[in-house]
Amino acid sequence: MPALSWILNLAYAVLLMVVSPVVVYRMLVHGKYRDGWAEKFLGRLPLRNSTRPCIWFHAVSVGEVLQLPRVLEMLAQERPACEFLITTTTHTGLAVARNKFPQHRVCYFPLDFSWAVRRAIRRVRPSAIVLVELELWPNFILQAKRSWIPLALINGRISQHSYSGYRRIRPLMRRLLDCFDSFAVQSETYRERLIELGAAADRIAVTGSIKFDHVQTDRRNSKTEELRRSFGIGDAERVFIAGSTQAPEEELALETYLALRDAHPDLRLVLVPRHQERFDEVAHLVERRGLPLIRRSRTVFATPLLSPGGTFDGSPGREPWGPGSSPFSPSPSGAIERCRDEQPNRFYRPAGATAMGAPQTQGSRPGLPPSAPTGATGAFQTRSQPQPSSQPILLLDTLGELAACWGLATIAFVGGSLTKRGGQNMIEPAAYGAAVLFGPNTHNFRDVVEMLLFGDAARVVVDGDDLTAAVRDFLERPDAARRQGCRAQQLVLSQQGATEKTVRRIAQLLRATDGPGSQLSWPAA
């Protein structure tokens, strides 16, 4: 075994000893790290006996997993005989991957001990390995190289913070980056950083960000509509979503809502914590204030959905208004037209008007079909005259539903940006045409943030008071909020096309392995 592997093994062992008290605490208190030990420490990934080609995709957590569906779909069309393995590092990432890819093998990624990665690669026998974004595990990368397995990076990005750290170990970085056969990166900035760290310039292509591709722009998609019914949100109500949040961002969003609800009784609040282990904590935060609460996890299997005839139907995804009859039916001219047509209705509602714009009659309620019985009750009903004390706070405490939930947002605050996290994905709410807000700490999404701010398509808030002021401003100036949302949506649509370029490079990597002596030749991005 090379000396470097022994050094790394020793370093990892020491690190594990140092953090073991934290690991044990989180196992006992939060239920984390309890599964996948054989996969992580021993490399006992699913044994593959097939002789078909196989691509091993590694996506660290939820965000990276959610970039893969369209990539795998297009690759399956290009290479129908190919098998796919998806590995992830986190428990939440594993849960989402299993939900998104039930037809493929999904498991944990091995820890970077030399024996674990060596056994994992031997058991999987991949034709190629594809890493999503950038996570460099030296033993794994070097073992792939020693095994003559082509290695690719897709949707690559390297933050300024990571870049500064990698520069201190440039000799090791140069050795690791030399193991890659292909890099598909999000921007010219990331390309320059990789070259500076030692990557071969002729192996790097700027393909753009996959995150811009195939994001949903239609607010009337079935998943968003199911969430709307589950939470009892009427079409006449305006929705403030604080998503991907960390402490204390939920409390700041709650303070904002409480400060504004009397003046704007049509305002609803949805909280979406970033981490699963904080779901109960945020629920208790709301309950300690004596506020009513609806948790999505408790409505998933019990959501009463009203059918067009006014009867209750437990089947998910039904359109209660009937096909093509929703108040905001998609325009034939596409997402930009939807942004132009739909958002004024979401931001502004004349007094006494329903979601359809007609005078409200006795017994009619926003969010329910005209044929709904006037006596319908339950946790999911909404009222034509919302009362602040009766409107529950909404908590999305499930995995993999935030992308659809953003479609409910009139105003979207993207969390991890008033803390030291460095921000979260703000592309999804922008694609729906929401009025997007985030804090100043967004270094993990610098390129996207710069694009949105340069295009006057987002707004930065510096603290809780500023958040309240911004939400108040959007509520009182709905046309300005609508215009900002439309600019954001147009910018997202203008950046699309990265998935197709990425799939071409992966397919070319596979073609290069089809025959002995083949030479790698990359197409233009």
Side-chain angles (χ1 to χ4, degrees):
M1 182 185 300
L4 178 59
S5 293
W6 282 109
I7 295 172
L8 290 169
N9 289 343
L10 179 61
Y12 295 145
V14 171
L15 180 61
L16 279 178
M17 291 177 63
V18 172
V19 302
S20 59
V22 177
V23 172
V24 172
Y25 172 80
R26 292 185 176 180
M27 285 178 61
L28 297 176
V29 176
H30 300 298
K32 299 182 69 175
Y33 314 127
R34 293 183 179 181
D35 57 343
W37 287 86
E39 294 168 343
K40 295 174 183 177
F41 279 94
L42 302 178
R44 291 188 180 276
L45 275 63
L47 181 64
R48 196 175 73 91
N49 296 315
S50 170
T51 59
R52 296 165 58 188
C54 171
I55 306 178
W56 178 347
F57 286 89
H58 176 54
V60 179
S61 192
V62 175
E64 292 78 14
V65 168
L66 293 177
Q67 297 174 38
L68 288 178
R70 183 58 178 161
V71 172
L72 268 60
E73 179 184 342
M74 294 179 68
L75 271 175
Q77 295 172 359
E78 170 88 15
R79 307 281 295 216
C82 195
E83 297 177 345
F84 300 121
L85 169 72
I86 299 95
T87 58
T88 184
T89 302
T90 67
H91 174 73
T92 52
L94 185 77
V96 171
R98 285 175 172 167
N99 177 263
K100 293 291 183 181
F101 309 112
Q103 72 277 34
H104 303 307
R105 289 187 177 92
V106 175
C107 63
Y108 280 112
F109 188 73
L111 295 178
D112 199 47
F113 290 105
S114 58
W115 60 83
V117 299
R118 184 169 59 251
R119 175 178 286 170
I121 289 174
R122 288 176 178 173
R123 291 176 67 87
V124 174
R125 297 182 296 106
S127 307
I129 296 172
V130 178
L131 307 182
V132 183
E133 293 201 354
L134 188 68
E135 187 173 87
L136 301 177
W137 291 106
N139 275 333
F140 181 79
I141 291 171
L142 294 173
Q143 183 61 46
K145 181 70 172 179
R146 286 192 289 266
S147 302
W148 297 92
I149 299 171
L151 189 63
L153 174 73
I154 64 170
N155 213 41
R157 55 187 293 271
I158 176 170
S159 68
Q160 179 62 49
H161 179 74
S162 297
Y163 175 61
S164 299
Y166 288 147
R167 289 182 64 183
R168 299 190 183 98
I169 54 171
R170 190 174 301 178
L172 175 60
M173 289 299 300
R174 182 178 293 109
R175 181 174 176 183
L176 296 179
L177 294 175
D178 188 57
C179 296
F180 283 81
D181 298 284
S182 170
F183 299 89
V185 299
Q186 298 180 20
S187 71
E188 185 63 33
T189 299
Y190 298 148
R191 178 180 183 273
E192 292 172 357
R193 288 175 181 173
L194 286 174
I195 293 173
E196 175 65 21
L197 291 173
D202 60 352
R203 302 180 191 175
I204 308 175
V206 178
T207 55
S209 175
I210 293 173
K211 291 182 179 180
F212 285 105
D213 285 358
H214 312 291
V215 288
Q216 183 61 257
T217 60
D218 180 8
R219 291 174 174 271
R220 286 302 181 182
N221 72 82
S222 61
K223 293 181 180 179
T224 298
E225 283 299 279
E226 202 277 322
L227 284 170
R228 182 186 298 278
R229 292 190 292 273
S230 174
F231 280 145
I233 296 174
D235 291 306
E237 295 178 309
R238 295 182 285 184
V239 181
F240 170 39
I241 296 181
S244 290
T245 50
Q246 295 183 306
E249 291 169 329
E250 298 91 2
E251 187 165 5
L252 298 179
L254 192 58
E255 292 286 355
T256 292
Y257 170 75
L258 294 176
L260 300 176
R261 66 175 183 172
D262 288 342
H264 303 279
D266 60 337
L267 183 64
R268 303 296 299 274
L269 173 64
V270 181
L271 299 175
V272 192
R274 175 69 176 88
H275 296 112
Q276 180 182 18
E277 60 267 25
R278 297 194 60 246
F279 290 163
D280 288 341
E281 174 190 335
V282 175
H284 294 154
L285 172 68
V286 175
E287 291 166 344
R288 281 198 302 270
R289 291 173 175 262
L291 298 169
L293 174 71
I294 290 179
R295 298 183 65 158
R296 166 62 173 164
S297 62
R298 299 179 184 177
T299 72
V300 173
F301 301 108
T303 304
L305 304 182
L306 285 170
S307 71
T311 60
F312 285 97
D313 188 335
S315 58
R318 289 283 301 275
E319 283 285 356
W321 301 276
S325 64
S326 69
F328 306 129
S329 296
S331 165
S333 58
I336 298 300
E337 193 65 26
R338 285 197 299 273
C339 178
R340 188 177 298 124
D341 290 344
E342 293 180 15
Q343 291 201 35
N345 289 331
R346 294 189 302 105
F347 281 104
Y348 173 69
R349 187 78 58 205
T354 66
M356 295 295 291
Q360 187 160 319
T361 58
Q362 183 177 2
S364 66
R365 293 172 182 159
L368 300 184
S371 56
T374 59
T377 60
F380 313 104
Q381 78 177 63
T382 55
R383 301 182 181 183
S384 57
Q385 298 290 333
Q387 299 300 316
S389 61
S390 66
Q391 292 301 308
I393 307 301
L394 310 173
L395 175 61
L396 186 69
D397 57 346
T398 53
L399 300 177
E401 291 193 304
L402 177 57
C405 189
W406 284 126
L408 301 172
T410 307
I411 302 166
F413 170 73
V414 183
S417 56
L418 288 175
T419 66
K420 296 180 180 180
R421 170 78 184 186
Q424 293 292 340
N425 181 14
M426 60 281 296
I427 296 172
E428 289 167 343
Y432 281 112
V436 176
L437 303 167
F438 43 75
N441 302 317
T442 53
H443 55 264
N444 288 332
F445 294 85
R446 189 180 304 276
D447 287 352
V448 177
V449 168
E450 289 177 354
M451 180 192 72
L452 290 173
L453 294 180
F454 183 78
D456 194 20
R459 182 166 167 178
V460 177
V461 295
V462 298
D463 54 26
D465 291 339
D466 204 16
L467 177 63
T468 302
V471 175
R472 178 186 290 112
D473 184 48
F474 283 147
L475 294 172
E476 294 177 353
R477 297 195 306 132
D479 285 343
R482 177 183 59 82
R483 288 193 295 270
Q484 177 182 303
C486 285
R487 288 191 295 268
Q489 188 180 71
Q490 291 168 9
L491 281 172
V492 170
L493 293 175
S494 71
Q495 297 295 312
Q496 294 183 338
T499 302
E500 184 178 353
K501 298 173 185 177
T502 299
V503 168
R504 286 209 312 264
R505 292 184 68 83
I506 297 173
Q508 184 67 22
L509 185 68
L510 287 176
R511 284 193 290 272
T513 67
D514 285 342
S518 299
Q519 296 296 316
L520 294 174
S521 176
W522 302 116

